[in-house]
């Protein structure tokens, strides 16, 4: 019997840059496994422009904390050996590991060079606002600390199509690089006319050498780390044809079990659906629509109609392709896509992703262990662990919804014979104290259930006909299960 799968995003934006994070993962692996986590998403493993960078300012994709570059051998998170050890520790526990890939841009070039650009409007990248002119741009990547080990590919302005800084004039802007076959890539997000350009030096996926090099790197990385999959960063800014080609190549190289999920951050559900069609379902997508619904519900309180929580979400339209999450390193306070789900609703939000039959849910490190930065917050392990327990041991079998009141919704999972004691009844309220009469089926008759979140202390006896009336506190969630297993 395959247990429910749950991913943990094992980082937040502000974890200490002390080089011990891979060790932290190594040490946490046994406990995460025990608590019901089955997969770990780790941050970018490659050398970034500085040791304090999260990894999204990617410098050398072949330096996993092995070469003295950017003033350090290790990355923010540790050395290559620490990384390998952490992945081994996860594998020993049966946890699969997905690595975060930054493929849209490169940062921290080794040298400047002079090339011709046209400046475009920040809010419309298809609109030229200058004549062609020369700039000095940071686009030459020679990797002096690594030399030609693993790859002899050196990057220059030919391999990029945009940059944001002219060192000659000491000013910023969005500069489109000119040259043969040079243009913004098509098949990218349409915001700002063409959203190929996001930041730093934008990798030009129209260039055949670039496509070849990045594909070859993807294969090298998976083989080197023996990782089980990838999380692809910022793919709405990357030529979608290449994304499909890349995903197909990775599966060919690593096998059908190689798992991929893409960050296609667009709150417009139809854009996400179209993207899945374009890439022919070669990877899953994070359910950004559901994240924004959860945030809206947390902000509106009792004015939000909970019966609509899954309307217009990817989990509803594409249940087999949705990776559900509550918050992440970008949505946390003061970060690029700030849209934090408010505290009072956090446990309910996790119940909505962890205890349903559809979706591959992610638990965010910042919610579990806490976040640092300007507005630090405590972790919510005591609220999330009971839900992980219920997901791993209880949330199986047919799902029946009781989405019949705007302020109080519930659902049941009837349980399956293969997992003794499985089955659960979930009820949540965004207003006052409530209750709901729900049926678990007469196979559960006579069982005495408790709320495994301990938000309620009652003992509820399932009646002869399989029904029981389950209570919930105001602005809270309760997860009723059979404790005797
Ligand atoms: Ca791009």
């Amino acid at each position: 019997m395959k247990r429910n799968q749950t991913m943990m995003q094992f980082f937040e934006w502000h974890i200490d840059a002390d080089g011990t994070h891979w060790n932290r993962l190594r040490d946490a692996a046994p406990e995460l496994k025990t608590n019901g986590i089955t997969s770990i998403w780790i941050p970018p493993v490659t050398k970034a422009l500085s040791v304090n960078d999260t990894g999204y300012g990617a410098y050398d994709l072949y330096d996993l904390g092995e070469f003295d570059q950017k003033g350090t051998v290790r990355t923010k998170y540790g050395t290559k050996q620490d990384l390998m050890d952490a992945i081994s520790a996860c594998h020993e526990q049966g946890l699969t590991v997905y690595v975060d890939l930054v493929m849209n841009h490169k940062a921290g070039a080794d040298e400047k060079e002079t090339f011709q650009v046209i400046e475009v409007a920040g809010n419309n990248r298809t609109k030229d606002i200058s004549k062609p002119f020369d700039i000095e741009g940071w686009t030459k990547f020679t990797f002096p600390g690594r030399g030609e080990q693993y790859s002899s590919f050196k990057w220059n302005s030919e391999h990029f199509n945009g940059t944001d800084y002219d060192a000659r004039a000491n000013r910023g802007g969005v500069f489109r690089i000119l040259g043969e076959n040079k243009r913004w890539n098509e098949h990218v997000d349409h915001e700002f006319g063409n959203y190929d350009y996001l930041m730093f030096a934008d990798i030009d996926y129209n260039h055949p050498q670039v496509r070849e090099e990045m594909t070859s790197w993807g294969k090298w990385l998976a083989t080197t780390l023996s990782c089980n999959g990838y999380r692809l960063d910022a793919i709405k800014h990357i030529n979608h044809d290449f994304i499909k080609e890349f995903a197909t190549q990775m599966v060919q190289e690593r096998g059908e079990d190689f798992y991929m999920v893409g960050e296609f951050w667009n709150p417009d559900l139809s854009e996400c659906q179209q993207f899945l069609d374009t890439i022919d379902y070669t990877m899953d997508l994070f359910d950004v629509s559901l994240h924004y619904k959860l945030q809206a519900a947390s902000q509106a309180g009792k004015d939000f109609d909970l019966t609509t929580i899954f309307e217009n979400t990817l989990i509803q339209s594409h249940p087999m392709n949705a990776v559900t999450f509550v918050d992440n390193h970008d949505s946390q306070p003061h970060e690029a896509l700030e849209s934090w789900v408010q505290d009072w609703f956090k446990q309910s939000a996790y119940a909505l992703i962890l205890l349903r039959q559809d979706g591959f849910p992610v638990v965010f490190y910042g919610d579990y262990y806490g976040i640092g930065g300007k507005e630090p917050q405590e972790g919510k392990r005591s609220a999330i662990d009971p839900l992980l327990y219920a997901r791993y041991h209880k949330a199986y079998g047919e799902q029946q919804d009781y989405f019949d009141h705007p302020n109080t919704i519930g659902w049941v999972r009837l349980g399956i014979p293969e997992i003794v004691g499985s089955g659960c009844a979930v009820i949540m309220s965004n207003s006052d104290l409530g209750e709901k009469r729900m049926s678990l089926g007469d196979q559960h008759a006579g069982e005495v259930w408790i709320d495994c979140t301990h938000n309620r202390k009652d003992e509820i006896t399932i009646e002869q006909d399989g029904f029981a009336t389950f209570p919930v506190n105001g602005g809270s969630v309760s997860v009723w299960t059979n404790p005797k297993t």
Side-chain angles (χ1 to χ4, degrees), residues 249-266:
Q249 291 274 328
M250 292 309 115
V251 168
Q252 267 177 22
E253 176 82 5
R254 304 296 297 172
E256 282 297 323
D257 287 344
F258 196 77
Y259 180 79
M260 279 167 283
V261 55
E263 183 219 12
F264 189 87
W265 195 275
N266 195 324

Side-chain angles (χ1 to χ4, degrees), residues 262-336:
E263 183 219 12
F264 189 87
W265 195 275
N266 195 324
D268 183 344
L269 177 61
S270 64
E271 297 279 341
C272 295
Q273 292 165 331
Q274 241 176 48
F275 178 78
L276 278 171
D277 287 338
T278 304
I279 62 163
D280 203 15
Y281 298 82
T282 44
M283 70 182 66
D284 290 346
L285 292 186
F286 289 104
D287 193 345
V288 176
S289 310
L290 178 62
H291 161 72
Y292 279 112
K293 295 288 292 261
L294 297 172
Q295 192 213 8
S298 79
Q299 286 175 330
K302 64 179 165 45
D303 295 329
F304 190 90
D305 180 352
L306 286 175
T307 66
T308 67
I309 192 76
F310 291 115
E311 281 178 14
N312 301 312
T313 61
L314 197 64
I315 187 74
Q316 191 179 59
S317 70
H318 292 72
M320 302 301 289
N321 308 100
V323 174
T324 50
F325 67 102
V326 175
D327 270 305
N328 68 24
H329 61 293
D330 283 325
S331 73
Q332 73 185 68
H334 308 294
E335 299 316 326

